[in-house]
Amino acid sequence: MADDDQFSELAVFSTEAHYALVAYQMIEEQLKRYISTAHDIVRLCLSNRIPYKYSEKEIDGYALERLIAIFGKLNDNEDLIRKLNKLPKDRNYCAHKAYAEAYFKRVLDKQGLDNDVTKIKDMGKFAWECFQNHKDEIGQVETAKEKLSKDI
């Protein structure tokens, strides 16, 4: 197969991997937003009766897996939590192994990437579905904060 075909196939793979990685990043940011908003609600409920020194900066560097664990303590949507818990393994594959494996398989071993493209595409699709599902949770927690803010 010609070099152009090899790199064209790698470009398709790369596009799908990038699409998946963006979804994982968006989910991380959504989780941070949800967690921060939930902590704001706690702070509002306490009304300075006891110190509550949580800062959203504390979670800035947290990995996806840790963010999901915290979210699971602040949310009762077990179906979503179960889905989110499937993401770290795929996210880590996309971020740390996918590109190198595809390159070695395609360029050095002269194998096709059809199965790899399908796999990475499915990962991205599932991650974006989780992102969409989590948007509803964000809306609910932000609405709760807004109502509580008005009541205080």
Side-chain angles (χ1 to χ4, degrees):
M1 197 173 270
D3 283 346
D4 288 347
D5 292 340
Q6 289 176 351
F7 290 107
S8 176
E9 193 172 29
L10 282 169
V12 170
F13 178 85
S14 180
T15 299
E16 294 299 335
H18 179 76
Y19 178 75
L21 286 169
V22 169
Y24 298 124
Q25 182 63 42
M26 295 300 291
I27 290 166
E28 286 180 9
E29 293 306 313
Q30 272 188 330
L31 289 167
K32 290 175 187 177
R33 185 172 170 180
Y34 183 97
I35 293 164
S36 294
T37 303
H39 282 289
D40 289 344
I41 290 171
V42 172
R43 192 176 294 107
L44 285 167
C45 289
L46 291 174
S47 297
N48 294 321
R49 286 177 265 216
I50 63 170
Y52 191 74
K53 298 179 181 180
Y54 166 81
S55 167
E56 66 183 65
K57 291 181 182 177
E58 291 178 37
I59 61 171
D60 275 349
Y62 285 6
L64 179 60
E65 193 167 8
R66 190 164 181 194
L67 292 169
I68 293 167
I70 295 169
F71 173 77
K73 294 177 182 179
L74 299 169
N75 189 281
D76 288 331
N77 187 336
E78 296 300 326
D79 184 52
L80 177 58
I81 294 165
R82 209 172 7 266
K83 288 177 181 177
L84 290 171
N85 277 317
K86 295 178 183 177
L87 294 177
K89 181 181 173 189
D90 289 348
R91 182 253 174 233
N92 290 339
Y93 171 77
C94 285
H96 302 294
K97 291 184 179 180
Y99 288 105
E101 283 184 10
Y103 175 80
F104 289 121
K105 189 181 280 188
R106 184 68 190 101
V107 176
L108 300 181
D109 298 337
K110 308 294 186 212
Q111 296 177 23
L113 294 178
D114 291 344
N115 292 338
D116 301 274
V117 169
T118 299
K119 176 181 175 181
I120 212 91
K121 188 181 268 190
D122 289 346
M123 288 177 182
K125 182 180 176 187
F126 181 72
W128 280 109
E129 287 172 7
C130 288
F131 174 79
Q132 291 296 352
N133 293 339
H134 192 259
K135 280 173 53 176
D136 295 337
E137 301 299 323
I138 292 283
Q140 290 174 14
V141 77
E142 288 180 344
T143 298
K145 178 184 172 185
E146 188 178 306
K147 281 183 176 179
L148 186 59
S149 295
K150 289 179 183 177
D151 292 343
I152 292 179

